[in-house]
Amino acid sequence: MGESLTEFVTETGRPGGGNAGPAGEPERTGVIGGQRDGRPGPADGHEAEVLLARARAVVDPVLRAALGSLPGPMRRVALYHFGWQQADGSAAAGGSGKAIRPALVLAAAAALGGPEAREASLRAAAAVELVHNFTLLHDDVMDRDTTRRHRPTAWTVFGDADAILAGDALQALALRLLAEDPHPAAREAAARLADCVVELCAGQHADTAMERSRPGEVTLGETLAMAEAKTGALLGCACATGALYAGAGPADVAALDAFGRQAGLAFQLIDDVIGIWGDPRRTGKPAGADLAARKKSLPVVAALTSGTPAAEELAALYEAPREKEDLERIALTVERAGGRDWAQAQAADRMARAMQELARAVPDPEAAGGLLALAEFVTRRSS
């Protein structure tokens, strides 16, 4: 397991400790695991682990049934991607992911509508997870990532075309699950999920365009907008979908969407820090993989736009030939330019905003407990 957000901001800060923000801003504190606005946060990750395990237990059968309906070749790729089969079609005991997004659907439905709403949102939770995995299959092809969940990515095993087509099929399965769901919220949920897919595609398009841009051509605002579209949009959609299945009104649905988006941005900020400074034994990816690919992640763009001498040095390093031995120097330069501190402070700020949005829709801390626990989980990760 990772740290709490408070621990993450403190323990992964600059050498010597402390978590002051850039340009002499006051110290930022974590917003989960303690008190904020009188709202208690979960003391540890146990509640989130229980929620994730329960979500996986009830969603996996729906996912397996959906994948089982695919034609043989695409079914094989999909089952491999989910970790349920080896490349040769034999059974595998690998994990199919943490189930954060379906757990958010179920927790949001329970927070606003109780156990009955939670049970009613099961198909919707599976649909959101199918869309998430559709994006993973496509992202791995576009980013040329060779490892996911500690084993070779689907495209490296089956080829680009099969991985892309399997991803397309997962998106179709998601919409079919909602189209066949008799719940009165299913139609609106399907429309919201379709809109989310468009936003995800726009975010991925922006990301690939940024990778073709020179270091000085990308702004921090553009990078934050891209991160919200790529990561925050689906977390927001998951929370909003749960609210729809609970019969919530437009204001509460919008608040939970905003909660998920802000938590998603915090997640992405931490993910980007891990992409540079994470331990390969925990991430399953080579050290400095994002730097080796010259990805313009949030800490990197913050560093590039900091106006410091280190920013100029970083821009030169990013345009230099891609030599593996330069990665440690690049990471140190990002840190000296303030990229690491900025990302950690931003993660805390985004979680504070998420908590404010959650309080609007679910003012009762006990009812909000599941969503609070899951929000903490996405900011406690170190891999």
Side-chain angles (χ1 to χ4, degrees):
M1 295 297 296
E3 308 95 329
S4 69
L5 183 58
T6 305
E7 291 166 341
F8 182 90
V9 172
T10 302
E11 294 177 8
T12 63
R14 296 171 302 193
N19 60 333
E25 293 180 14
E27 178 175 302
R28 313 290 183 118
T29 59
V31 297
I32 306 292
Q35 297 273 345
R36 177 171 289 276
D37 298 330
R39 297 169 60 84
D44 55 42
H46 177 70
E47 183 179 356
E49 291 174 359
V50 170
L51 290 169
L52 292 168
R54 288 177 179 171
R56 183 56 71 203
V58 295
V59 170
D60 274 2
V62 182
L63 293 173
R64 285 180 179 270
L67 298 187
S69 70
L70 292 174
M74 280 184 285
R75 181 171 67 246
R76 182 179 173 189
V77 178
L79 289 170
Y80 172 85
H81 169 76
F82 272 86
W84 293 329
Q85 279 190 4
Q86 305 289 3
D88 62 5
S90 60
S96 53
K98 297 181 176 71
I100 292 169
R101 290 154 191 84
L104 285 170
V105 175
L106 300 174
L112 288 168
E116 290 185 1
R118 181 185 184 278
E119 292 300 316
S121 66
L122 184 54
R123 281 174 176 255
V128 169
E129 185 71 346
L130 285 167
V131 164
H132 173 54
N133 282 277
F134 140 70
T135 68
L136 297 182
L137 280 162
H138 283 204
D139 284 0
D140 285 344
V141 173
M142 286 183 276
D143 296 342
R144 311 314 286 173
D145 285 338
T146 58
T147 305
R148 180 169 296 282
R149 297 166 184 160
H150 300 276
R151 67 176 188 162
T153 46
W155 73 267
T156 67
V157 176
F158 301 99
D160 290 1
D162 282 1
I164 291 169
L165 291 168
D168 293 341
L170 295 188
Q171 182 190 175
L173 289 178
L175 294 177
R176 189 176 74 186
L177 277 177
L178 292 174
E180 294 175 349
D181 189 349
H183 194 282
R187 181 174 179 176
E188 188 173 352
R192 180 175 286 270
L193 189 59
D195 286 342
C196 181
V197 169
V198 173
E199 187 174 358
L200 291 167
C201 291
Q204 180 66 15
H205 180 272
D207 190 20
T208 56
M210 287 178 186
E211 295 311 306
R212 296 190 297 268
S213 302
R214 297 185 63 186
E217 296 174 345
V218 178
T219 70
L220 195 52
E222 290 170 338
T223 312
L224 281 165
M226 177 272 293
E228 179 177 346
K230 279 193 64 175
T231 305
L234 190 54
L235 291 177
C237 181
C239 296
T241 297
L244 287 173
Y245 272 72
D252 287 345
V253 172
L256 280 188
D257 180 85
F259 161 74
R261 285 174 179 270
Q262 294 298 330
L265 270 175
F267 176 96
Q268 188 60 57
L269 285 154
I270 292 172
D271 192 67
D272 285 353
V273 170
I274 292 168
I276 299 174
W277 294 282
D279 183 348
R281 293 170 297 181
R282 304 193 68 167
T283 65
K285 296 183 178 182
D290 286 359
L291 298 180
R294 299 300 193 265
K295 289 184 72 68
K296 295 179 182 71
S297 61
L298 286 161
V300 168
V301 176
L304 286 168
T305 57
S306 65
T308 63
E312 297 180 9
E313 181 183 347
L314 178 61
L317 288 169
Y318 248 56
E319 292 193 294
R322 301 187 180 189
E323 299 178 4
K324 189 174 182 180
E325 57 267 24
D326 287 337
L327 296 183
E328 185 175 352
R329 180 184 174 190
I330 296 173
L332 287 171
T333 306
V334 174
E335 191 160 359
R336 286 193 293 108
R340 189 173 186 172
D341 282 346
W342 176 88
Q344 291 161 351
Q346 275 288 307
D349 286 347
R350 295 294 176 168
M351 284 309 302
R353 298 183 196 186
M355 295 304 102
Q356 291 169 357
E357 296 292 348
L358 180 59
R360 291 192 181 98
V362 193
D364 177 9
E366 184 175 352
L371 289 168
L372 285 166
L374 292 168
E376 182 188 36
F377 179 85
V378 302
T379 60
R380 294 180 72 245
R381 58 194 297 271
S382 60
S383 63

